[in-house]
């Protein structure tokens, strides 16, 4: 199945490495979300291995999740407290859970893992359906920078050892605001492929999706420490509220 059609593919390919070094420290996000949760309950879309959900649960919040990958979910279940978090295995855009939630969130650019504009819009509409009045939907994404696209389309050498070599390639579809990335490892066992795709969007486009879903932007920051968002900020934390 194509990387553009299979919501669980990322988890099947990357679950074993997802908690490894190189991923962002989740604790700044946990602090921000715990402060905003207003006692909960809260919903994490693409809950993954629970890097954010478990610390929130440890602070006394009731956390629910949606996750498309059984492999990611297995890693969550293997952690202390992971079997106590109810998780629905499904496409996060469908938000197939009953409300109401005081807080829903999508962190680490995961909104862009929905590689179709309509599915991103579906996600906002379905989150709006399960938020309590005044509830918050928090997203974290990078701000696309077209100047970096040309550099990203070059071959990147990720790792070279005596036994293996790993390279990474990107291909951009600028009219569709999508890219596919392929990470290729060559070793004694053969060639190993890890495809990945995203459909990126600028903040004003995300705001439009939220507005169409009946959500309004109430806060925007450059990072989890609430530093001011500026024109040259490479990422944003945006808080949308249900009417």
């Amino acid at each position: 199945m194509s990387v553009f059609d299979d919501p669980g593919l990322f988890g099947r390919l990357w679950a074993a490495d997802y908690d490894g070094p190189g991923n962002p420290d989740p604790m700044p996000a946990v602090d921000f979300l715990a402060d905003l949760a207003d006692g909960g309950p809260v919903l994490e879309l693409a809950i993954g291995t629970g890097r954010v959900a478990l610390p929130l649960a440890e602070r006394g919040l009731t956390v629910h999740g949606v996750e498309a990958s059984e492999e990611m979910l297995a890693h969550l279940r293997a952690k202390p407290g992971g079997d106590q978090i109810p998780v629905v295995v499904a496409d996060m855009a469908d938000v197939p859970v009953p409300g109401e939630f005081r807080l829903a969130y999508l962190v680490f650019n995961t909104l862009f893992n929905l590689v179709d504009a309509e599915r991103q819009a579906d996600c906002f509409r379905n989150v709006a359906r399960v938020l309590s009045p005044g509830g918050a939907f928090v997203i974290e994404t990078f701000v696309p920078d077209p100047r970096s696209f040309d550099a990203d389309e070059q071959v990147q050498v990720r790792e070279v050892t005596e036994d293996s070599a790993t390279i990474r390639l990107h291909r951009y579809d600028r009219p569709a605001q999508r890219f596919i990335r392929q990470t290729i490892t060559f070793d004694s066992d053969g060639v190993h492929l890890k495809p990945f795709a995203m459909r990126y969007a600028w903040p004003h486009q995300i705001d439009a999706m939220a507005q169409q879903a009946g959500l309004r932007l109430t806060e925007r920051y450059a990072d989890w420490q609430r530093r001011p968002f500026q024109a040259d900020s490479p990422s944003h934390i945006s808080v949308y509220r249900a009417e």
Side-chain angles (χ1 to χ4, degrees):
M1 182 177 286
S2 167
V3 68
F4 294 110
D5 302 320
D6 184 353
L9 181 61
F10 174 82
R12 289 199 298 277
L13 293 176
W14 294 96
D17 303 319
Y18 197 66
D19 289 332
N23 283 318
D25 178 4
M27 294 316 296
V30 171
D31 292 338
F32 183 102
L33 295 167
D35 183 59
L36 204 64
D38 192 27
V42 304
L43 172 68
E44 180 169 2
L45 302 179
I47 194 171
T49 62
R51 293 193 300 136
V52 174
L54 286 171
L56 284 176
E58 290 170 358
R59 299 190 185 194
L61 292 168
T62 299
V63 183
H64 296 250
V66 176
E67 174 56 52
S69 166
E70 294 275 9
E71 290 79 4
M72 284 284 196
L73 185 55
H75 284 270
L76 167 63
R77 295 293 186 229
K79 295 178 179 179
D83 59 347
Q84 302 301 309
I85 296 178
V87 180
V88 176
V89 179
D91 188 332
M92 65 181 175
D94 295 327
V95 194
V97 294
E100 293 178 332
F101 295 95
R102 292 298 301 162
L103 170 69
Y105 59 93
L106 254 177
V107 297
F108 308 143
N109 306 312
T110 310
L111 175 67
F112 295 166
N113 288 6
L114 296 169
V115 294
D116 179 83
E118 184 57 35
R119 291 302 279 161
Q120 291 178 354
D122 287 343
C123 184
F124 274 89
R125 284 192 292 267
N126 286 317
V127 166
R129 173 179 52 80
V130 301
L131 285 179
S132 61
F137 182 31
V138 179
I139 66 162
E140 175 197 16
T141 74
F142 64 84
V143 178
D145 181 0
R147 294 172 301 178
S148 70
F149 294 174
D150 290 336
D152 282 346
E153 287 176 331
Q154 308 303 313
V155 176
Q156 301 171 358
V157 178
R158 304 292 294 182
E159 183 179 48
V160 177
T161 71
E162 293 181 355
D163 303 311
S164 68
T166 300
I167 62 173
R168 179 169 288 178
L169 305 93
H170 290 76
R171 186 187 70 204
Y172 281 84
D173 180 347
R174 301 190 190 202
Q177 297 179 201
R178 299 203 303 190
F179 70 79
I180 184 169
R181 185 185 77 197
Q182 185 64 264
T183 303
I184 309 170
T185 298
F186 305 88
D187 61 22
S188 59
D189 294 325
V191 179
H192 311 275
L193 304 178
K194 285 188 174 181
F196 175 66
M198 278 187 165
R199 192 264 174 182
Y200 53 87
W202 279 266
H204 72 276
Q205 294 175 318
I206 299 172
D207 294 346
M209 285 188 279
Q211 185 175 15
Q212 290 168 2
L215 302 174
R216 58 187 175 87
L217 177 70
T218 59
E219 303 168 57
R220 173 164 286 149
Y221 305 102
D223 54 32
W224 295 112
Q225 288 75 27
R226 292 183 168 84
R227 281 187 273 263
F229 178 79
Q230 299 177 336
D232 60 349
S233 296
S235 62
H236 66 104
I237 313 298
S238 296
V239 181
Y240 301 94
R241 293 275 183 180
E243 298 293 347

